[in-house]
Amino acid sequence: MKSKLDPLSMAAMAVTVVSVSATAPLTAAASASPLAMAFWRNCLGFAVLGPLLLLLRRREVVRVARGERGVLRREQWRPLVFGFLAATALALHFAAFMTSTRLTSVAMSTALVATQPVWQALIAAGQGVRSSRRTWVGLALSVVGAAAAGGLDIRSGGTALLGDLLALVGAVAQAGYTALSERSRADVSTPLYSTFTSLVCGLELLAVCRLAHIPLTGFDRSTQLSLLGLLVLPQILGLGSLNFALGRTSATTMSVLLLLETPVAALAAWWFLGQGIKPATVPGLLLIIVGVTVVVTSGGVERATAQQGRHRSAGTPPYPAYAPYPAYAPYPAYAPYTPQHPYTPQPTPQHLTFPHSVKRDPRVDWATYTGDESPTVTLTYHGAGAFDTLFSRMPHAAEEEPDRDKDDR
């Protein structure tokens, strides 16, 4: 993707960073319980995503409601379970992160929770994904920076140290949410999945608040203004400008820019809340940002290199076992590639026409991706992901499917 760094794109990036950076200061400024704030944060998120889902994916919602997509087929129960686990991890992230903003400084909280890519890389390594030396260097820098920045809190103990630990728990939970979401996403669009996770997360936090007898109403003016700010800034402006910017620049660029949340949030906390930054923590905070930047910028290169290596070594990718045989396939059968019996595709006409009754299974097209193409963008901030970054199928310029295009709209 070629970046279009025109003034409009740069303005969208600036709005994204500023809006996302308002999350921690707004939470710290409220007087309500952090768990209550977390519940209303997800409730407000669902209030925004729900209407957008009905506006953008109304046909998909109708098909799911009628069972035409077979969401609860036997093979879909496993992704559904992973979806519930992902929503639970998201609820844990909100609860831990928003609580940490009350116990430690906003700068420490945002810096430690921004280490989510580090934990995500460790989870991938635990799953057998090989990481480059550059990634491990970034991990080491982030760990050293976190230890250096939290050194004063470790020596003093008390609530500040507990807040640092909760911020790390929030980062790990968000990494778990991303990893579980990758396993739960089947043939469901990003808007529908985001709305589903917001709903489940909100219901789980509601149950926790009820069991702990945490009041959810009767807030003072500062809390009401904080909730309104969470709705307008990170949820509406932040999410909207992020989607606009992702259409004009790369996800890696936006991931690095989102690391500016730490200094911007710290500046906002100093200006509005009077929270200063201890000079001894500044080198550690900078090391955290540098380390996470190294991890983020090395991740895309690793994925592309690994995918290119697989395609060079395996030739034509085999037909996926989990995808049904498409009725529109121009060949009688797909044969797995082996060195003894290489599979050579036959020439096909340039313009293929399919009957309108045939529905293309989007999972079939995943086998045709090469290393230079990225079907997904795994970019999230505090549980909110880009609203429309999943493309389940390759764009076919020669195809004309007017009915399906209408459905996707």
Side-chain angles (χ1 to χ4, degrees), residues 87-97 166 169-170 172-174 201 204-205:
T88 303
L90 180 59
L92 178 60
H93 162 77
F94 276 115
F97 166 66
L166 285 175
V169 171
V172 175
Q174 185 172 354
C201 181
E204 291 178 346
L205 288 171

Side-chain angles (χ1 to χ4, degrees), residues 27-300:
T27 305
S31 59
S33 169
L35 290 177
M37 294 290 293
F39 161 73
W40 283 111
R41 174 72 171 81
N42 282 273
C43 184
L44 294 174
F46 178 75
V48 173
L49 293 177
L52 285 177
L53 176 65
L54 296 177
L55 179 64
L56 300 177
R57 300 282 180 172
R58 181 173 56 86
R59 299 288 183 88
E60 181 184 11
V61 174
V62 173
R63 287 197 299 265
V64 170
R66 294 177 178 175
E68 295 178 7
R69 294 186 65 131
V71 176
L72 297 182
R73 296 193 304 266
R74 179 176 300 177
E75 62 271 19
Q76 292 287 53
W77 278 106
R78 182 179 177 87
L80 186 62
V81 171
F82 278 113
F84 274 102
L85 293 177
T88 303
L90 180 59
L92 178 60
H93 162 77
F94 276 115
F97 166 66
M98 299 182 80
T99 303
S100 70
T101 60
R102 305 285 184 84
L103 302 177
T104 188
S105 65
V106 168
M108 282 295 298
S109 178
T110 53
L112 293 175
V113 83
T115 59
Q116 176 259 338
V118 174
W119 302 104
Q120 189 171 342
L122 290 176
I123 292 175
Q127 294 174 342
V129 178
R130 297 182 61 182
S131 299
S132 66
R133 185 178 301 175
R134 182 179 177 184
T135 299
W136 290 110
V137 170
L139 292 173
L141 289 175
S142 300
V143 171
V144 172
L152 294 179
D153 295 338
I154 293 174
R155 287 194 294 269
S156 61
T159 59
L161 178 59
L162 178 59
D164 295 345
L165 295 176
L166 285 175
L168 288 176
V169 171
V172 175
Q174 185 172 354
Y177 164 75
T178 303
L180 290 168
S181 296
E182 290 177 353
R183 305 191 68 176
S184 63
R185 296 293 302 272
D187 53 353
V188 179
S189 67
T190 299
L192 180 58
Y193 184 78
S194 300
T195 307
F196 167 77
T197 53
S198 295
L199 176 61
V200 175
C201 181
L203 292 176
E204 291 178 346
L205 288 171
L206 175 61
V208 172
C209 290
R210 289 301 185 188
L211 291 175
H213 303 286
I214 296 176
L216 299 176
T217 56
F219 301 143
D220 57 12
R221 179 59 61 87
S222 65
T223 301
Q224 294 174 0
L225 292 177
S226 296
L227 290 173
L228 180 62
L230 288 174
L231 173 63
V232 174
L233 291 176
Q235 193 64 41
I236 297 180
L237 289 181
L239 198 58
S241 57
L242 174 63
N243 281 293
F244 180 83
L246 282 175
R248 307 167 77 89
T249 188
S250 66
T252 301
T253 301
M254 287 306 304
S255 298
V256 174
L257 284 177
L258 286 175
L259 294 177
L260 294 175
E261 177 189 2
T262 299
V264 174
L267 181 62
W270 169 76
W271 184 268
F272 295 103
L273 303 178
Q275 287 188 6
I277 301 178
K278 299 177 182 178
T281 63
V282 173
L285 295 177
L286 292 177
L287 273 180
I288 292 175
I289 296 175
V290 171
V292 176
T293 302
V294 172
V295 173
V296 169
T297 54
S298 64

